[in-house]
Amino acid sequence: MVDAVLVAGIDTSTQSCKVIVREAASGELVRSGRANHPDGTEVHPDAWVEALEQATGEAGGLDDVAALAVGGQQHGMVVLDSTGEVIRPALLWNDTRSAAAAADLIGELGGPAAWAEAVGSVLVASLTITKLRWLRDFEPDKAARVAAVCLPHDYLTWRLAGHGPQSQGGDGAIDQLVTDRSDVSGTGYWSPHTGEYRTDLLAMALGHVPVLPRVVAPNEVAATTPGGALIGPGAGDNAAAALGLGLGSGDVAVSVGTSGVVSAISETPTADPSGMVTGFADATGLFLPLACTLNGARILEAAGTMLGLGHEQLSTLALQAEPGAGGLRLVPYFEGERTPNKPNATAALHGLTLTNFTPPNLARAAVEGLCCLLADGLDALIAQGAKAERLFLIGGGAKSQAVRQVAPTVFGQPVTVPPEGEYVADGAARQAAWLALGELPAWPRQGTEVFEATPAPTVRQTYAQARDLVLDRP
């Protein structure tokens, strides 16, 4: 009997590191491990290495895997000197101190449309290039030392390949850094349209052009571990999740987490000058236009707090109300909003009457408000040419039965809910299996549900009327 070929997928997310080991051909889970990352919006990359070692140990080690790959949080700025030493803690995607730098860079290139054309996205504080400008402006001595720039998943790939800073006994080989097109498409200095770095933009931000990771093709071996395992190019978290879900052209993932993310697999790149859609690449050679909302599952948490209910109780209560919540409309901009771009707006409840102001209607309005907000993101993708032939609902908010049942009525089409899982790590493992087997395996998903419902267009219409009344505050 031939021994099974094992592969590993690593997810280095904002909160933690997850390691899963699966059988390459079938996708069967063999073992897994997890370790937390420090809190905060800046983290020293050594913490990621330590968490990886801990999670790997909990997963029983990687000595028996034929291939592995890393998926991870996008945009984080990792800066190295000529010896491979980390110059300062990495600024993560959610560090907003570079917002003014983003505005400066937008103006210097000639406006939002110029950036959308150049790199597929209008700059916001999350993109790496804005953090490099912040570094130049506020820590110029450190900026001058930057010999290489990479992303969180790139750094772990480099360390897994046996490289490291000379101060820790490593070779300091910054010329061996590699990345993939999905993650590098979120830097602001690589173009999904041409597949090339825009070093002119990088120089405009940092003041010079450091060593940049080699961009590896989706099914190319990026490196090998000291033990001989193949290392894949890895991927950014949204692209890795799409690969883990097995999404293809025409598929849309609607992720309801702390924020909401609506992303589509597309055969063509996008360039949205409004900034509502960011034009990323995917992990297979296609593209991943993406719309992000600032508000997500916390909308349900806020409603539950007001009503004194947990998640399941809120869901049950919401389903007791009729579609439309008796005319009650919640515009859920609790944390401002990005889709549409109203960063200083606040949430608003409209349509209150003596008869409709009931707990079931309030719970239903929260669920419908969340779904309508995500539908606005979907509309933005479609306006940029994305197809939405199948919708997949994932993330913590997808556990809500009310969200599952209301979403198809708001989106106007069936919604597929796959089983709960670690899809970023799964995508990395599936990429590793691609290398080990020579072809991308199709892993079955047991327990997938499809929710269908009669569309309720009046819910979207009345929500839009209330939404347009909400102003962005100074």
Side-chain angles (χ1 to χ4, degrees):
M1 180 178 177
V2 179
D3 291 338
V5 176
L6 300 183
V7 294
I10 298 162
D11 173 14
T12 181
S13 73
T14 313
Q15 291 84 17
S16 63
C17 180
K18 279 88 69 177
V19 175
I20 62 166
V21 176
R22 291 188 179 274
E23 201 281 315
S26 68
E28 181 180 354
L29 179 64
V30 177
R31 56 186 191 264
S32 64
R34 183 184 187 280
N36 290 332
H37 286 157
D39 292 332
T41 62
E42 64 172 59
V43 174
H44 196 287
D46 281 353
W48 302 331
V49 175
E50 292 169 5
L52 174 60
E53 292 173 350
Q54 182 179 339
T56 298
E58 188 175 299
L62 301 178
D63 291 343
D64 56 349
V65 303
L68 57 90
V70 184
Q73 53 177 304
Q74 291 192 258
H75 313 305
M77 180 194 75
V78 181
V79 286
L80 309 177
D81 69 12
S82 59
T83 70
E85 187 73 24
V86 175
I87 294 171
R88 72 165 333 276
L91 297 186
L92 306 189
W93 64 274
N94 55 352
D95 192 301
T96 60
R97 72 185 76 178
S98 61
D104 290 344
L105 287 167
I106 289 172
E108 290 169 20
L109 194 63
W115 280 99
E117 181 179 353
V119 296
S121 302
V122 178
L123 299 189
V124 292
S126 60
L127 270 65
T128 315
I129 194 169
T130 71
K131 303 178 190 303
L132 291 169
R133 168 56 70 86
W134 177 89
L135 187 69
R136 190 203 75 173
D137 290 346
F138 289 92
E139 298 179 356
D141 292 344
K142 293 177 180 176
R145 292 175 53 206
V146 175
V149 177
C150 64
L151 299 164
H153 112 256
D154 307 339
Y155 187 76
L156 281 190
T157 298
W158 187 64
R159 296 297 299 266
L160 284 164
H163 306 296
Q166 292 178 6
S167 64
Q168 298 179 25
D171 56 11
I174 57 176
D175 61 335
Q176 297 301 304
L177 287 163
V178 293
T179 191
D180 90 300
R181 57 194 297 277
S182 73
D183 211 359
V184 76
S185 65
T187 60
Y189 47 82
W190 185 87
S191 170
H193 301 271
T194 65
E196 297 177 348
Y197 280 114
R198 288 293 305 266
T199 54
D200 57 326
L201 302 180
L202 180 57
M204 185 171 72
L206 182 61
H208 66 279
V209 180
V211 171
L212 296 171
R214 178 172 62 91
V215 182
V216 180
N219 61 341
E220 180 183 348
V221 176
T224 58
T225 67
L230 307 178
I231 302 178
D237 50 7
N238 290 294
L243 190 61
L245 286 164
L247 304 190
S249 180
D251 289 338
V252 174
V254 181
S255 178
V256 191
T258 302
S259 60
V261 176
V262 186
S263 57
I265 303 295
S266 174
E267 296 183 1
T268 56
T270 58
D272 180 10
S274 76
M276 288 181 67
V277 175
T278 51
F280 297 157
D282 86 331
T284 69
L286 300 178
F287 301 91
L288 193 74
L290 181 152
C292 181
T293 69
L294 294 181
N295 297 277
R298 286 181 178 175
I299 296 168
L300 306 180
E301 293 174 5
T305 298
M306 181 177 181
L307 294 168
L309 302 174
H311 290 288
E312 290 187 12
Q313 293 171 308
L314 182 74
S315 175
T316 300
L317 189 65
L319 293 175
Q320 293 175 9
E322 294 294 324
L328 211 58
R329 281 285 155 262
L330 175 65
V331 183
Y333 299 164
F334 290 101
E335 299 184 89
E337 192 44 68
R338 177 176 168 180
T339 307
N341 187 27
K342 296 183 178 183
N344 300 311
T346 55
L349 192 61
H350 291 262
L352 289 167
T353 68
L354 290 173
T355 56
N356 71 7
F357 192 41
T358 65
N361 281 335
L362 182 58
R364 179 95 188 191
V367 173
E368 290 182 346
L370 168 61
C371 292
C372 286
L373 176 60
L374 295 169
D376 284 347
L378 178 60
D379 286 349
L381 291 182
I382 293 173
Q384 291 299 311
K387 297 179 181 179
E389 297 169 357
R390 293 193 302 172
L391 299 183
F392 290 78
L393 187 66
I394 60 174
K399 298 176 184 178
S400 166
Q401 190 68 18
V403 171
R404 296 180 178 201
Q405 293 188 27
V406 170
T409 71
V410 170
F411 289 127
Q413 64 185 92
V415 169
T416 298
V417 181
E420 187 178 354
E422 296 290 353
Y423 289 111
V424 175
D426 282 350
R430 190 165 177 240
Q431 184 187 80
W434 197 355
L435 300 183
L437 302 176
E439 60 182 4
L440 187 61
W443 289 347
R445 291 289 175 198
Q446 303 297 327
T448 297
E449 296 183 80
V450 178
F451 290 82
E452 301 190 40
T454 302
T458 56
V459 173
R460 290 287 316 274
Q461 292 166 3
T462 56
Y463 171 84
Q465 292 168 359
R467 175 200 64 204
D468 293 344
L469 296 173
V470 177
L471 301 177
D472 196 28
R473 299 174 186 271

